[in-house]
């Protein structure tokens, strides 16, 4: 990662917890990172480590898999996979994903491996996870309506979809 072993150890621990892959960077294939290449680490005057530029912490969605979204040459820098989805991938024993996948920051030696992993993860998200989640929402909505009908409620019941989507366990 860098020349500071203390910082390296902390970054590796964080990457393991978030299911982020170690990867080589383009500028020097001997450098292995556990974060996006543009993350900066600094020691403060208090002796603690501070990280900056964490916007690309999580791996990108694969634009090739996201044909339902407008094309953009820069989408890999802002259409990122959710941490909850990475945890789902981890629970299923899927490979960890690189923050620098699909970008010019990746070293050619392992870029295709990391890119392929992101393509596969995005395909699973679109083809399996989102449809399964949508079916669960539909089922819950039907249950709410059935309960309302059983109680003869006159107001149309609603399911708090926004709240459900923002629950910590939501993978989408």
């Amino acid at each position: 990662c860098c020349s500071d072993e203390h910082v390296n150890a902390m970054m590796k621990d964080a990457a393991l917890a978030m299911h982020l892959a170690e990867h080589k960077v383009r500028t020097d294939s001997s450098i292995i990172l556990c974060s996006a290449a543009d993350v900066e680490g600094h020691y403060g005057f208090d002796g603690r480590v501070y990280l900056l530029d964490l916007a690309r912490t999580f791996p990108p969605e694969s634009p090739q898999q996201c044909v339902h979204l407008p094309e953009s040459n820069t989408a890999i820098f802002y259409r990122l996979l959710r941490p909850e989805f990475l945890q789902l991938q981890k629970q299923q024993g899927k490979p960890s994903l690189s923050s620098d996948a699909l970008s010019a920051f990746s070293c050619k030696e392992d870029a295709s491996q990391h890119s392929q992993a992101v393509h596969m993860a995005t395909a699973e998200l679109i083809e399996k996870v989102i449809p399964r989640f949508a079916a669960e929402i539909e089922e819950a909505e039907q249950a709410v309506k059935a309960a309302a009908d059983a109680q003869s409620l006159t107001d149309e019941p609603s399911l708090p979809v926004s709240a459900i989507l923002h629950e910590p366990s939501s993978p989408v």
Side-chain angles (χ1 to χ4, degrees), residues 7-73:
V7 174
N8 285 345
M10 290 190 319
M11 294 300 287
K12 283 184 181 184
D13 288 346
L16 182 64
M18 292 186 284
H19 204 50
L20 299 174
E22 288 185 344
H23 58 283
K24 297 176 182 177
V25 292
R26 182 176 180 214
T27 55
D28 182 350
S29 64
S30 68
I31 296 175
I32 298 176
L33 295 180
C34 304
S35 65
D38 47 352
V39 170
E40 298 175 29
H42 300 276
Y43 278 101
F45 292 119
D46 59 2
R48 295 189 297 181
V49 176
Y50 292 88
L51 299 177
L52 303 173
D53 298 332
L54 296 165
R56 291 189 324 100
T57 296
F58 296 101
E61 294 178 341
S62 168
Q64 289 88 341
Q65 302 296 327
C66 296
V67 295
H68 58 286
L69 296 173
E71 283 188 41
S72 169
N73 293 333

Side-chain angles (χ1 to χ4, degrees), residues 9-150:
M10 290 190 319
M11 294 300 287
K12 283 184 181 184
D13 288 346
L16 182 64
M18 292 186 284
H19 204 50
L20 299 174
E22 288 185 344
H23 58 283
K24 297 176 182 177
V25 292
R26 182 176 180 214
T27 55
D28 182 350
S29 64
S30 68
I31 296 175
I32 298 176
L33 295 180
C34 304
S35 65
D38 47 352
V39 170
E40 298 175 29
H42 300 276
Y43 278 101
F45 292 119
D46 59 2
R48 295 189 297 181
V49 176
Y50 292 88
L51 299 177
L52 303 173
D53 298 332
L54 296 165
R56 291 189 324 100
T57 296
F58 296 101
E61 294 178 341
S62 168
Q64 289 88 341
Q65 302 296 327
C66 296
V67 295
H68 58 286
L69 296 173
E71 283 188 41
S72 169
N73 293 333
T74 58
I76 64 168
F77 299 114
Y78 60 87
R79 289 185 187 152
L80 308 178
L81 296 169
R82 288 178 53 131
E84 296 84 357
F85 177 67
L86 294 182
Q87 292 305 306
L88 178 64
Q89 294 278 287
K90 185 177 183 178
Q91 291 167 5
Q92 295 175 347
K94 303 282 174 64
S96 54
L97 301 175
S98 168
S99 302
D100 288 325
L102 309 176
S103 77
F105 292 115
S106 293
C107 181
K108 290 181 182 175
E109 292 175 36
D110 61 2
S112 64
Q113 170 193 346
H114 292 297
S115 295
Q116 184 63 26
V118 164
H119 291 310
M120 290 173 58
T122 304
E124 180 177 340
L125 177 66
I126 292 169
E127 296 167 9
K128 295 180 182 174
V129 175
I130 293 173
R132 184 173 53 240
F133 186 72
E136 289 172 10
I137 293 287
E138 178 68 26
E139 189 176 298
E141 186 176 47
Q142 289 174 2
V144 166
K145 286 182 181 179
D149 288 345

